[in-house]
Amino acid sequence: MLMKSDAAATGAAGKQDPQAPVALVVGSGFGGMAAAVRLAAKGYRVTVLEKLDAPGGRAYVHRREGHVFDAGPTIVTVPYLFDELWALAGRKFSDDIELKSLDPFYRIRFDDGDHFDYSGDPARMRAEVRRISPSDAEGFERFMREADQCYELGFRSLGDKAFDTVGDLIKAAPLIIKLRGWRSLHQMVSSHLKHPKLRVAMSLQSLLIGGNPFSVTSMYALVNALERQWGVHWAMGGTGELIRGLVNVFEGMGGTVRLKAEVKRIEIDNGVATGVTLADGERIPADIVVCNGDTGYLYKNLVDARWRKHWTDNRIERGHYSMGLFVWYFGTDRRYDDVPHHMMVLGPRYRELLDDIFRKKKLAGDFSIYLHRPTATDPSMGPEGCDTFYALSPVPHLDSGTDWTTQAEPYRQAIQEALERTVLPGLGQHLRVSFCTTPLDFQHRLLSYKGAGFGLEPLLLQSAYFRPHNRSEDVKNLFMVGASTHPGAGVPGVIMSAKALESVLPDPATFRR
């Protein structure tokens, strides 16, 4: 696939109707590319505008000295969502992308050295539960049943439905009540499981979508069922291959991707979006604009305040935002073959650490780490005999006041020392590549409000109808996809946001001139 590094369009093999209405998609992450494919299939002429020098957004790919580093998302959990997108172009996902199932899904290593291998095998999961706490065996069965119910009602019934009106909320209310969605995820888990380690193992998943398990709605127990239902997979070549594949599919439908094309303003005429203006001053007219960027940043910086009756600066500021992310990318000149593909290396504190991150906005001296080692499954992600890693640590967003220009290296060193003590002995002697990203990078490079990793935190009153809508509450013909709109973060969530978008899009025929 040809990728140009300037603002020129990438080549498109297909053709679009020159009389069709124009849709601009701002941002080329998973949500933006999924939306672009669906818009093209509906009959729009679509151009994707990407600020960076390559597509992907938070799924950008860094390449250093033979190591391939996926910047953000690292797993596929609901493959049929990709099947649907490829089918819209008359193609088969499996012809372009090879998925490999992971076993275990991930290992949770506790601070005392014990670990829990989290897998899709019910018998092995039950054995892990009994090994840690035999008295919790029955409670685990109850937890799985309730998680399955959350999945059926929360994901399958509501995930791809746009919450556009109060009526949509009223229709969903019985399901939310049935699931007792006012409870926190940790409260729901604790009602079934008593052992602290099991409570951690079954509740930390919400952190993968930006939510504190002690405050997000219990409906996010659906992640447990979703993983069991569909498995956890790795896209061979990295998740960047998924973005590459989506771009190829989109271009094959006649779509255009423009790189280094940062949008500085949404053009609005009498309350209707009419196009965008780029950082270099270029004005691009459009019939609709779909934004894959962070909604807090979008409304505060790209939409003039006079058009924002709902998303005022005050409302944006009052929101509760997800944590920030510190990510250390590194490569080693040796392999650590006893480390699985995905591993959670937990610190000594759980609730207290999350309280520091989400409530006190305090950079703590301890941390928990998500350690990603793709070379465990896919040797192409690093040079022969080497390993590729990233270590992700949840941290407060930028309201903490942390000066990451001075704190990044001491924090990285502390993570290195912790990994050397636990799972990567001798790490410092074997480093060959090393670089970091902080909440400052999320703010300046990815244009994320407060440097938050996932937009608004998925609290009950910041989910579904209460999350920024897929169709703007303020501006006609302005739409949203991605992590900070409904249904939320995570690869399945952002791809489903493009599916929800379809239900509120105007018919292209309404724009025919």
Side-chain angles (χ1 to χ4, degrees), residues 134-147:
S135 63
D136 275 317
E138 184 179 339
F140 180 64
E141 300 298 327
R142 294 196 306 271
F143 166 72
M144 288 198 296
R145 287 194 295 270
E146 186 166 1

Side-chain angles (χ1 to χ4, degrees), residues 170-200:
I170 292 171
K171 289 177 186 177
L175 295 180
I176 297 171
I177 293 170
K178 184 176 182 178
L179 293 169
R180 291 182 288 167
W182 56 85
R183 296 174 301 163
S184 74
L185 174 59
H186 194 269
Q187 285 175 327
M188 179 271 207
V189 171
S190 298
S191 71
H192 300 299
L193 300 167
K194 304 307 177 188
H195 198 285
K197 288 181 179 177
L198 296 180
R199 289 179 172 182
V200 170

Side-chain angles (χ1 to χ4, degrees), residues 212-404:
N212 180 353
F214 291 93
S215 54
V216 301
T217 169
S218 60
M219 294 174 68
Y220 285 102
L222 66 84
V223 176
N224 174 281
L226 181 148
E227 291 175 338
R228 285 187 282 112
Q229 173 76 22
W230 297 104
V232 171
H233 310 272
W234 170 253
M236 297 300 285
T239 47
E241 288 300 301
L242 294 169
I243 292 292
R244 183 185 295 269
L246 280 168
V247 170
N248 276 332
V249 166
F250 171 61
E251 289 182 339
M253 301 169 81
T256 299
V257 177
R258 291 184 58 177
L259 305 176
K260 291 189 175 180
E262 180 180 353
V263 173
K264 295 300 287 186
R265 183 170 64 252
I266 306 294
E267 295 296 338
I268 300 169
D269 183 9
N270 199 28
V272 180
T274 59
V276 304
T277 295
L278 302 184
D280 64 4
E282 180 184 357
R283 167 85 160 77
I284 307 176
D287 295 286
I288 68 171
V289 178
V290 178
C291 288
N292 179 213
D294 179 83
T295 53
Y297 179 90
L298 160 76
Y299 279 119
K300 195 168 177 62
N301 295 279
L302 304 188
V303 176
D304 192 288
R306 64 183 168 136
W307 303 118
R308 293 190 276 116
K309 298 290 190 280
H310 186 85
W311 289 107
T312 63
D313 285 356
N314 187 46
R315 179 186 284 265
I316 294 167
E317 181 62 34
R318 289 200 323 265
H320 295 276
Y321 290 85
S322 66
M323 73 283 202
L325 302 174
F326 180 93
V327 191
W328 176 32
Y329 304 89
F330 59 97
T332 60
D333 62 11
R334 59 155 288 189
R335 291 179 60 85
Y336 290 86
D337 288 321
D338 54 344
V339 175
H341 192 123
H342 300 293
M343 191 175 197
M344 316 298 180
V345 183
L346 303 184
R349 301 185 303 153
Y350 186 53
R351 183 170 195 154
E352 298 82 0
L353 174 61
L354 295 174
D355 198 43
D356 283 345
I357 293 170
F358 285 91
R359 189 176 68 82
K360 297 179 181 178
K361 308 293 189 299
K362 166 188 171 185
L363 184 64
D366 59 321
F367 37 72
S368 288
I369 302 164
Y370 160 46
L371 185 64
H372 176 226
R373 179 182 170 244
T375 37
T377 303
D378 187 351
S380 74
M381 299 295 286
E384 185 176 357
C386 297
D387 261 339
T388 296
F389 292 91
Y390 83 43
L392 181 152
S393 175
V395 295
H397 60 59
L398 291 174
D399 275 0
S400 69
T402 302
D403 181 1
W404 285 108

Side-chain angles (χ1 to χ4, degrees), residues 80-101:
Y80 79 80
L81 294 173
F82 288 99
D83 291 334
E84 289 179 350
L85 293 172
W86 261 250
L88 288 172
R91 294 168 61 171
K92 286 187 65 176
F93 176 62
S94 59
D95 288 343
D96 295 333
I97 304 292
E98 178 187 355
L99 293 183
K100 188 166 184 178
S101 298

Side-chain angles (χ1 to χ4, degrees), residues 6-64:
D6 59 16
T10 57
K15 293 183 178 179
Q16 295 182 337
D17 179 358
Q19 300 303 312
V22 173
L24 296 178
V25 177
V26 182
S28 66
F30 278 116
M33 292 312 307
V37 169
R38 290 187 177 276
L39 286 161
K42 285 184 73 72
Y44 284 91
R45 281 184 291 154
V46 188
T47 296
V48 176
L49 303 171
E50 171 53 54
K51 171 182 179 285
L52 302 178
D53 61 354
R58 296 177 191 186
Y60 189 87
V61 178
H62 302 283
R63 301 177 189 275
R64 306 280 179 94

